[in-house]
Amino acid sequence: LTAIARSRSFVDWQGIRSLAHDLESQHRAIETVAQADPAEALDLLWRFMSLAPSIFDRCDDSNGIVIGVFHDACDAIGEAALAAKPPVTSLADQAFGALTANDHGQFDGLIGILAPALGLVGLEHLKQRIIDLSNQPIAKPADQDRVKTGWLSSGPMYADEMAERSRISTVRVALQDIADAMGDVDAYIEQFDEHCS
């Protein structure tokens, strides 16, 4: 995992299957660890998932092979968490960190995956962390300090605008997923109503 994290070479479409194979080998090795030490396997899975940003920054995954490997590893986090039984508030805090760093979709579905291990206490803790995030909008820098990241038909797109959109989207999707996991139909519908209004 350390060697993969240190690598900086770009992987084009021709080398993507080899990269995916290397990642799958690491995942299989972690699954072997899980049979003897679920807590160690859970830590290794979080480390494995933390590789995603640097890997996606240096590869062409237009065919979706690499993201598939990360989705499989994300699924395995749920199984490892059930077996390892970490403190639910700590697990919820890890989930919060993952959801707020989900730039490539590697953690899509994480709340549903972790719901059995989190239970109601963990889900409530995660919900409060997400609500706190919803009350902390991204600060808008002074005009001269704003960083342009692209152009829209309406004008330039700035980094702070993109960060704010990402925050709003993360909050909305997470609250929907938490409501779904808790069986709270009203809270689930409320997120759609707020998004549409």
Side-chain angles (χ1 to χ4, degrees):
L1 293 177
T2 301
I4 293 172
R6 287 178 179 164
S7 181
R8 294 291 177 264
S9 57
F10 185 80
V11 181
D12 61 17
W13 65 271
Q14 293 173 312
I16 202 72
R17 290 191 184 280
S18 177
L19 172 61
H21 182 266
D22 289 346
L23 293 170
E24 286 170 345
S25 296
Q26 293 301 313
H27 183 200
R28 283 195 300 274
I30 295 170
E31 287 179 337
T32 302
V33 171
Q35 296 169 17
D37 191 341
E40 178 67 16
L42 182 59
D43 288 342
L44 289 169
L45 283 165
W46 285 118
R47 278 186 61 199
F48 180 88
M49 294 299 293
S50 73
L51 297 173
S54 64
I55 287 175
F56 285 111
D57 285 347
R58 64 180 186 87
C59 79
D60 173 9
D61 190 41
S62 53
N63 56 14
I65 293 174
V66 172
I67 192 64
V69 177
F70 281 104
H71 285 162
D72 288 345
C74 188
D75 287 341
I77 286 177
E79 298 166 18
L82 270 176
K85 296 180 175 52
V88 293
T89 53
S90 298
L91 184 61
D93 288 338
Q94 284 183 298
F96 177 80
L99 294 168
T100 55
N102 191 27
D103 295 337
H104 301 279
Q106 69 272 23
F107 287 110
D108 287 356
L110 180 65
I111 292 172
I113 290 165
L114 283 179
L118 286 169
L120 288 177
V121 172
L123 286 168
E124 283 288 357
H125 183 77
L126 178 57
K127 181 179 178 179
Q128 190 55 57
R129 295 286 315 263
I130 296 294
I131 289 170
D132 291 345
L133 178 64
S134 75
N135 294 322
Q136 297 172 359
I138 303 296
K140 182 178 175 181
D143 287 345
Q144 67 270 17
D145 296 328
R146 297 183 82 194
V147 177
K148 292 177 185 173
T149 57
W151 289 89
L152 302 172
S153 58
S154 58
M157 170 64 80
Y158 294 95
D160 59 284
E161 291 175 333
M162 290 185 66
E164 179 64 3
R165 288 182 183 187
S166 175
R167 182 191 69 87
I168 291 169
S169 176
T170 296
V171 166
R172 181 178 53 82
V173 171
L175 289 177
Q176 284 173 0
D177 289 349
I178 291 169
D180 187 38
M182 296 176 77
D184 189 340
V185 176
D186 291 337
Y188 185 85
I189 293 171
E190 183 181 318
Q191 293 308 311
F192 281 101
D193 290 345
E194 287 183 7
H195 182 61
C196 294
S197 59

